[in-house]
Amino acid sequence: MAEAVQISSIGTARQDQLEAIMGAGLVQQGKVFSLSLQSIQSELGDRWEGKKDQVWEAVERALGRRLVLPDIFLQLNDTIVLVAIATADAYEGQIRCAEVLRSILTHFLGRAADDDVRLARVSGVVDGVLTVEAVDLSAPPPSPPVGGTGAARPGASPVGTEWTPPLAGRSYAAPFLNARAQPIDMLLEVVPVWRLDRGLVSAYALRRQLPPRTAAITDDEQLAMDIATADRLAALLAEYKREGAMFAIMVPIFYSSVSARRSRERLLERTWDVHDQMRRAVIYEVEGLSSGIPDGRIAETAAMMRPFVHSLTACVTDRGQADAVLREYAFTGVAVQDLHAAALEPMLVRFRRRTANIMVHRVRPDSDEDYLRSIGASHITYMDGPA
């Protein structure tokens, strides 16, 4: 249960800020949230007084990185921060706040902190007390507004369509050499990412295709694939910079390539000239995670990569990979692909407690979007879907 906040206890300056937030209409839109650090306070016990400044410095850094003007945050007391989101809708604001709170709790509690996340939506002030309603992080994304467009319906306005040619539907040859120095003709396709609660394209994704009957790919070949992908990405981001684009690009990358220092550095060198665009736009989808990875390595690898990209998601194709991700969750979202229909719903139910950002790749064009949304999918790409 969320803690009550007595407004008279927060000081005149903060009361003025709070009144400005309450008067801006964001509360009525569901865009003001209460984030609680009580779990950290309880865990630290007598050490809280000596460490709370350190905790709050981490909170301010995390919120400062995740929010943009005119979003604001306001510390209300020792354990509660208020966040007002003006630059996104209520659901997106909920996602941002949950990600920040989860990362702070995980860092200071030293464990997966899903059960400790106490996020509430502010509903108003009654008798001098801030009133809040707990947010159910396991709930699926909301349905689009009545009369809105569905994800595959005409009339949607994809981002990036003003480019010549538009991004969606582009494909690029990206060959690499296998272990026997033979060329493998990999193809990179740019596909739109559809946001189910809006029915609009909200990002793009690079999808890799290998020739039929390609043999199992070794770690060295995975690195070669990633280097070829990074080279194409660098050219795309140079175009992104020229066009002044603002949307995200989801890019696959193998865990084996980023978990080792030498290969990680080789990859980062390929995109160093566009590192600002990498941090602004690129969401890496980490593939090849497995239950055999030693404890701590996934989180360590994510920490090494996080400064160079906008965010990291995990891409899973089976239960073993899902187990690895859930055992050591170090991501801002999850993507699933190539799953049998019967396995999809239980997989998404497992992930909904971790994140509201759940991508389903390669959805059939005739799939039921309402069903996908109801089981927790927030974004999709199509197998051969509309551009």
Side-chain angles (χ1 to χ4, degrees):
M1 179 177 293
E3 304 99 300
V5 177
Q6 189 75 35
I7 302 305
S8 61
S9 68
I10 67 173
T12 302
R14 291 179 183 176
Q15 286 188 46
D16 291 343
Q17 288 181 281
L18 181 58
E19 288 178 6
I21 292 172
M22 303 298 282
L26 297 178
V27 171
Q28 291 81 354
Q29 298 173 46
K31 296 183 179 182
V32 182
F33 301 89
S34 166
L35 286 63
S36 173
L37 306 178
Q38 190 178 56
S39 297
I40 301 176
Q41 184 189 50
S42 298
E43 182 84 8
L44 292 177
D46 293 341
R47 294 177 294 152
W48 168 254
E49 287 301 319
K51 295 202 69 171
K52 67 180 181 182
D53 288 345
Q54 178 185 345
V55 174
W56 276 104
E57 286 174 3
V59 171
E60 291 173 3
R61 286 196 303 270
L63 287 170
R65 287 194 301 265
R66 197 69 178 89
L67 304 183
V68 295
L69 291 174
D71 299 341
I72 60 173
F73 60 90
L74 171 65
Q75 181 180 346
L76 295 183
N77 58 30
D78 263 8
T79 60
I80 297 179
V81 60
L82 195 75
V83 179
I85 302 291
T87 59
D89 63 27
Y91 184 67
E92 181 68 28
Q94 171 185 315
I95 292 173
R96 293 183 190 176
C97 291
E99 289 175 350
V100 169
L101 183 55
R102 185 180 288 111
S103 68
I104 293 296
L105 293 171
T106 299
H107 176 75
F108 284 100
L109 297 178
R111 62 173 185 269
D114 296 337
D115 293 336
D116 301 287
V117 173
R118 297 185 181 183
L119 177 67
R121 184 173 277 106
V122 175
S123 54
V125 177
V126 176
D127 296 331
V129 176
L130 199 68
T131 59
V132 298
E133 299 171 358
V135 172
D136 181 4
L137 297 176
S138 66
S143 298
V146 174
T149 57
R153 295 181 179 88
S157 178
V159 293
T161 52
E162 71 278 7
W163 289 17
T164 305
L167 279 182
R170 293 193 197 182
S171 61
Y172 305 97
F176 65 94
L177 297 180
N178 66 11
R180 297 184 296 278
Q182 298 170 329
I184 302 295
D185 294 325
M186 180 173 67
L187 185 70
L188 293 175
E189 295 183 312
V190 183
V191 301
V193 173
W194 293 87
R195 178 169 166 167
L196 289 179
D197 66 330
R198 293 275 191 87
L200 294 174
V201 172
S202 62
Y204 288 88
L206 285 181
R207 299 290 90 198
R208 301 194 278 209
Q209 289 191 17
L210 296 178
R213 296 182 294 279
T214 299
I217 301 296
T218 67
D219 286 358
D220 287 341
E221 290 167 342
Q222 288 180 353
L223 177 58
M225 285 178 64
D226 284 339
I227 287 175
T229 303
D231 288 342
R232 171 44 57 187
L233 175 62
L236 191 58
L237 289 177
E239 184 178 354
Y240 181 104
K241 181 178 182 179
R242 291 196 304 271
E243 297 286 345
M246 297 297 292
F247 50 83
I249 302 174
M250 307 187 75
V251 182
I253 194 167
F254 287 107
Y255 172 79
S256 61
S257 297
V258 293
S259 58
R261 181 181 60 83
R262 184 169 299 179
S263 58
R264 182 170 60 245
E265 289 176 351
R266 287 184 63 187
L267 277 172
L268 292 173
E269 286 173 359
R270 316 299 287 208
T271 55
W272 190 249
D273 289 342
V274 288
H275 67 278
D276 287 343
Q277 285 66 47
M278 288 282 290
R279 295 181 64 181
R280 183 176 301 118
V282 172
I283 301 174
Y284 264 148
E285 288 186 336
V286 183
E287 302 179 341
L289 297 162
S290 73
S291 56
I293 297 173
D295 289 347
R297 288 298 303 279
I298 293 176
E300 177 185 339
T301 298
M304 292 293 184
M305 288 300 298
R306 198 169 288 119
F308 302 102
V309 292
H310 179 277
S311 55
L312 295 166
T313 64
C315 188
V316 303
T317 60
D318 57 43
R319 181 172 179 175
Q321 293 181 350
D323 290 343
V325 172
L326 291 169
R327 182 194 72 203
E328 193 174 342
Y329 190 75
F331 306 94
T332 59
V334 177
V336 300
Q337 64 182 13
D338 302 330
L339 283 177
H340 189 274
L344 185 60
E345 182 171 353
M347 182 76 77
L348 267 58
V349 168
R350 296 181 71 193
F351 283 130
R352 269 179 13 201
R353 287 295 299 169
R354 299 283 184 170
T355 180
N357 294 321
I358 302 178
M359 166 79 74
V360 180
H361 281 306
R362 296 178 56 79
V363 170
R364 293 177 59 88
D366 58 354
S367 295
D368 185 341
E369 297 155 13
D370 290 335
Y371 169 71
L372 291 171
R373 184 171 52 248
S374 72
I375 64 174
S378 60
H379 300 76
I380 60 173
T381 63
Y382 284 101
M383 185 177 295
D384 297 303

